[in-house]
């Protein structure tokens, strides 16, 4: 009778404990793998290692880890709507596959070399992308064309020579510390970006100032190779009453241009650009 009573008490307790473990599995960081998926991943990985041990020595594949072959949320920190992949080890050389609900991607200080059209094709929820400090030298046309909510794009400290087509709704674009050249950056590259507020193009190889939308408040062009400005660079030669009160900070220091030679080029602005005047 006592044995039966013990069994009746023990079995429900075991079921409850199992349920609690299941609940804990489901409480992992949103966007990361669940406990069952992790178990399946490691089980498959163990089977793969056993299979490799059965191979002849000459056929043994390289066992060094490759970041691109691992699930994103094992390499990165996945929080609700945000993915943090910073200084990933082993090296991350491509944009990782992202959870579909990702709104903010921080992929800084890796070794990503190229942005492909397919990298963000299915992630329509993205609002911010920060890929500072990679090795990006090429961006395929249309890589950002399917991101209707994208507001901030940071590509600073890469190896870009030219710019791709940019989303019209960007409010912040940062391409500081690249190798951008005027002949590869269209003069009207930013013309349709009517919501652009901060534009950072410092420390490049630009020889001319591109078209600057009227919505821009902060413009950084320091440390380029700009040699001249015209009255139409910031103002309008055919409209002496034209004003640009929104443009509150323009940096052109570190360029060869002598700004004092172009006094009529800044009459529409409430502040003078920072740069050489003598």
């Amino acid at each position: 009778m006592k044995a039966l009573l013990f069994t009746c008490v023990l079995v429900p307790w075991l079921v409850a404990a199992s349920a609690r473990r299941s609940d804990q599995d489901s409480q992992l960081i949103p966007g990361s793998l669940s406990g069952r998926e992790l178990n399946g991943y490691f089980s498959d990985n163990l089977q793969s290692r056993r299979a490799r041990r059965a191979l002849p020595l000459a056929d043994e594949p390289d066992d060094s880890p490759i970041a691109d072959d691992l699930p994103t949320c094992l390499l990165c920190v996945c929080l609700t709507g945000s993915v943090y992949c910073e200084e990933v080890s082993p090296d991350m050389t491509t944009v990782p596959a992202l959870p579909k609900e990702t709104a903010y991607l921080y992929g800084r200080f890796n070794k990503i070399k190229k942005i492909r059209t397919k990298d963000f094709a299915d992630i329509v929820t993205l609002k911010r992308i920060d890929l500072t400090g990679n090795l990006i030298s090429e961006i395929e046309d249309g890589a950002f064309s399917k991101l209707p909510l994208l507001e901030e794009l940071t590509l600073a400290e890469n190896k870009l020579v030219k710019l791709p087509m940019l989303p019209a709704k960007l409010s912040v674009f940062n391409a500081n510390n690249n190798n951008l050249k005027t002949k590869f950056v269209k003069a009207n590259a930013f013309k349709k970006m009517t919501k652009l507020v901060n534009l950072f193009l410092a420390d490049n190889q630009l020889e001319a100032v591109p078209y600057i939308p009227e919505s821009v408040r902060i413009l950084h062009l320091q440390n380029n190779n700009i040699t001249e400005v015209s009255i139409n660079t910031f103002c309008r030669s055919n409209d002496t009453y034209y004003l640009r009160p929104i443009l509150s900070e323009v940096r052109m220091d570190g360029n060869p241009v002598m700004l004092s030679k172009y006094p009529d080029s800044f009459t529409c602005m409430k502040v003078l650009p920072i740069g050489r005047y003598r």
Side-chain angles (χ1 to χ4, degrees), residues 7-277:
T7 301
C8 293
V9 172
L10 180 59
V11 169
W13 181 84
L14 289 173
V15 171
S18 176
R20 284 196 298 273
R21 285 196 299 271
S22 179
D23 289 342
Q24 290 170 353
D25 285 348
S26 65
Q27 292 172 3
L28 291 173
I29 294 172
S32 65
L33 294 174
S34 69
R36 291 189 182 86
E37 290 173 317
L38 283 171
N39 289 337
Y41 171 76
F42 288 120
S43 175
D44 292 343
N45 192 44
L46 180 59
Q47 292 177 5
S48 176
R49 287 179 179 273
R50 286 173 177 168
R52 287 201 297 271
R53 281 200 295 268
L55 291 173
L57 185 60
D59 297 328
E60 181 84 2
D62 184 4
D63 196 35
S64 59
I66 301 174
D68 304 334
D69 292 340
L70 297 174
T72 299
C73 292
L74 281 180
L75 294 166
C76 310
V77 176
C78 295
L79 302 174
T80 303
S82 300
V83 177
Y84 297 85
C85 299
E86 302 188 339
E87 297 184 279
V88 172
S89 179
D91 292 342
M92 178 176 287
T93 59
T94 61
V95 175
L98 300 173
K100 295 220 171 177
E101 71 279 5
T102 303
Y104 305 98
L105 169 63
Y106 301 91
R108 297 177 285 209
F109 308 112
N110 290 294
K111 295 186 178 180
I112 299 171
K113 299 178 181 179
K114 180 179 180 180
I115 300 177
R116 303 162 297 181
T117 304
K118 66 179 183 178
D119 287 336
F120 303 117
D122 299 324
I123 318 296
V124 296
T125 52
L126 275 167
K127 295 181 180 179
R128 179 186 300 154
I129 297 173
D130 187 346
L131 295 172
T132 298
N134 279 276
L135 302 173
I136 301 168
S137 60
E138 181 182 356
I139 301 176
E140 292 182 357
D141 287 335
F144 306 113
S145 62
K146 296 182 179 180
L147 302 177
L149 303 180
L150 190 64
E151 297 175 355
E152 300 181 23
L153 177 59
T154 300
L155 301 170
E157 299 178 40
N158 278 283
K159 297 181 179 295
L160 291 172
V161 174
K162 62 180 182 178
L163 292 178
M165 183 178 294
L166 298 169
K169 293 185 179 180
L170 281 183
S171 62
V172 177
F173 179 65
N174 187 341
N176 285 344
N177 288 283
N178 275 276
N179 299 315
L180 294 176
K181 298 182 179 180
T182 295
K183 65 180 179 180
F184 296 120
V185 177
K186 295 180 181 179
N188 295 327
F190 307 105
K191 188 170 187 178
K192 295 182 179 180
M193 299 171 66
T194 57
K195 296 186 177 181
L196 190 62
V197 175
N198 298 335
L199 178 57
F200 303 110
L201 299 171
D203 296 280
N204 280 284
Q205 299 178 32
L206 298 174
E207 298 173 352
V209 180
Y211 177 89
I212 307 300
E214 293 191 26
S215 57
V216 171
R217 294 179 186 174
I218 298 176
L219 173 65
H220 285 186
L221 290 166
Q222 67 267 31
N223 303 322
N224 277 281
N225 296 320
I226 298 170
T227 55
E228 63 179 7
V229 294
S230 73
I231 193 171
N232 290 310
T233 300
F234 300 107
C235 304
R236 294 178 181 174
S237 58
N238 59 353
D239 186 355
T240 56
Y241 296 98
Y242 175 71
L243 297 174
R244 293 193 75 154
I246 295 177
L247 191 57
S248 59
E249 179 179 318
V250 179
R251 288 195 57 183
M252 297 188 67
D253 44 309
N255 282 279
V257 61
M258 185 69 71
L259 297 176
S260 57
K261 291 183 179 181
Y262 307 94
D264 295 336
S265 297
F266 315 117
T267 55
C268 64
M269 301 165 59
K270 68 178 183 179
V271 295
L272 289 173
I274 298 170
R276 292 179 61 207
Y277 286 91

